[in-house]
Amino acid sequence: MQQPIDGVLEAPYVMEYTYRRSLGPVMSAFFTALRDGRLLGARTASGKLVVPPLEWDPETGAAIAGLEPVAEEGVVTAATWVAAPEARHLLQEPFAYALIQLDGASTAMLHAVACASLEACPVGTRVKLVWSESRTGSLRDIRCFEPVK
Amino acid sequence: MSEATKPVVKDVTTMAAPVSLKFRARAGKDLSRFLRGMKERRIVGRVCPSCNYVYVPPRGACPTCGCPMGDERVLPETGTITTFCIVNIPFEGQKLKPPYVCASVLLDGADVALFHLVGGCDVNDVRMGMRVRAEWVDEADAELSLETIRYFVPTGEPDRPLAQIREHI
């Protein structure tokens, strides 16, 4: 506890709910595949490939037709710059948060792009997935994406 | 798949999804005085100049009258349990091993109860009206915290009749 000059005591205060949630059949398969170094998307009845997968077709509410592998390269559809990453961020150096539409996917997924500046990651940039060295079954198993040289 | 060919590595079936909010809490002037009192192993309250209610921990204004509070008052370390509960359920971050007792303790001379722990006796012996006193940590371990009172322990005095504490429950 600090004692500031005005005599009023101050202390850090963290309120945390330490939830652990069950994943269900679809997300369980997705995260298990991530741990094993594979990225899966959900194919809907209308033929769209939703990445990351959803349990239900967002257009009809029907169950998805199945899960299938997705390409590890894609295109940036939107990006913003994180100049001062916090401990909870994926990368500790400044990076771009980007929506990335992987080849063959119908939707874009949010992830980090390791690059020097936002100018290095304009819309349309081709990026490639970089796996984390140790994988546990979380979205952090994808370390980041990086521009394809 | 037969038992023998099942993969050793299990599927990922759950994920950690904590929700966390990080604050810097400011105690305010009166609670700061109270916490400094704790470090000296003293219980500091404050008196309302209008209704003469003694609040502990002290407040800046009387919640009933709305007027600024008056003098500080050091309260004795003895009091009476008004209400209590026995905690039987374990939870994350818990500091004591269940079962233990949380109680509202009406310190002698105070008009509002202080919420704290009761120790030094079987949980089943705790009752409304039971007389208790603060068990302090050693002087060297005293902190700017209510935990400087380890817990309240029974004094062995006769219980206070409920009629005497009823208005403070």
Side-chain angles (χ1 to χ4, degrees):
Chain A
M1 186 149 355
Q2 289 181 357
Q3 299 196 34
I5 43 170
D6 65 0
V8 173
L9 296 168
E10 222 181 277
Y13 184 84
V14 180
M15 190 165 76
E16 187 172 45
Y17 297 98
T18 53
Y19 294 127
R20 173 165 282 279
R21 54 161 286 192
S22 55
L23 292 169
V26 173
M27 298 318 282
S28 176
F30 172 68
F31 283 109
T32 302
L34 277 184
R35 184 197 62 198
D36 299 339
R38 290 179 302 117
L39 185 62
L40 298 181
R43 185 69 72 181
T44 67
S46 63
K48 288 191 173 166
L49 186 61
V50 182
V51 187
L54 293 173
E55 292 164 307
W56 311 96
D57 184 334
E59 286 166 359
T60 65
I64 56 163
L67 291 166
E68 56 185 78
V70 182
E72 295 183 11
E73 273 192 39
V75 170
V76 170
T77 61
T80 189
W81 190 243
V82 180
E86 295 176 8
R88 65 194 166 90
H89 280 122
L90 297 160
L91 298 174
Q92 293 309 292
E93 318 83 56
F95 68 94
Y97 253 137
L99 283 172
I100 298 155
Q101 188 158 3
L102 294 162
D103 296 345
S106 312
T107 60
M109 67 182 277
L110 182 71
H111 218 286
V113 176
C115 54
S117 66
L118 190 56
E119 288 69 38
C121 182
V123 170
T125 305
R126 279 201 69 75
V127 292
K128 180 170 156 285
L129 186 153
V130 181
W131 291 103
S132 295
E133 279 171 25
S134 68
R135 296 190 300 270
T136 58
S138 95
L139 211 54
R140 285 171 183 266
D141 292 348
I142 300 172
R143 186 179 133 71
C144 61
F145 284 78
E146 58 185 24
V148 177
K149 300 268 171 1
Chain B
M1 204 182 288
S2 76
E3 281 301 318
T5 56
K6 263 190 184 165
V8 182
V9 183
K10 290 197 174 117
D11 282 357
V12 179
T13 56
T14 64
M15 69 180 282
V19 179
S20 146
L21 293 168
K22 287 180 183 164
F23 298 93
R24 279 204 72 79
R26 272 170 73 80
K29 218 161 81 181
D30 285 271
L31 202 51
S32 293
R33 297 273 303 172
F34 174 79
L35 293 170
R36 290 208 171 84
M38 280 290 122
K39 186 144 174 89
E40 295 163 5
R41 300 195 299 180
R42 288 186 308 136
I43 307 170
V44 178
R46 247 180 129 179
V47 191
C48 171
S50 168
C51 67
N52 288 318
Y53 250 54
V54 176
Y55 284 90
V56 60
R59 295 158 177 261
C62 177
T64 308
C65 311
C67 61
M69 292 291 257
D71 295 338
E72 268 187 14
R73 187 169 293 176
V74 175
L75 290 154
E77 58 182 30
T78 52
T80 304
I81 292 175
T82 56
T83 58
F84 69 96
C85 76
I86 302 172
V87 179
N88 287 297
I89 299 168
F91 54 86
E92 202 165 313
Q94 195 170 36
K95 290 186 176 172
L96 298 173
K97 195 170 168 286
Y100 59 91
V101 173
C102 289
S104 292
V105 176
L106 183 67
L107 293 171
D108 297 336
D111 290 293
V112 293
L114 189 68
F115 195 64
H116 216 294
L117 302 165
V118 176
C121 65
D122 191 287
V123 295
N124 296 309
D125 290 339
V126 177
R127 55 200 180 267
M128 293 172 82
M130 189 186 218
R131 297 283 296 155
V132 290
R133 68 168 170 78
E135 175 88 359
W136 299 94
V137 301
D138 293 338
E139 199 174 343
D141 297 328
E143 298 275 3
L144 293 159
S145 159
L146 198 52
E147 289 179 29
T148 296
I149 297 174
R150 186 174 286 130
Y151 42 67
F152 283 82
V153 295
T155 63
E157 297 165 85
D159 289 2
R160 262 181 92 179
L162 217 55
Q164 289 181 20
I165 58 171
R166 195 184 300 278
E167 84 168 281
H168 303 287
I169 292 174

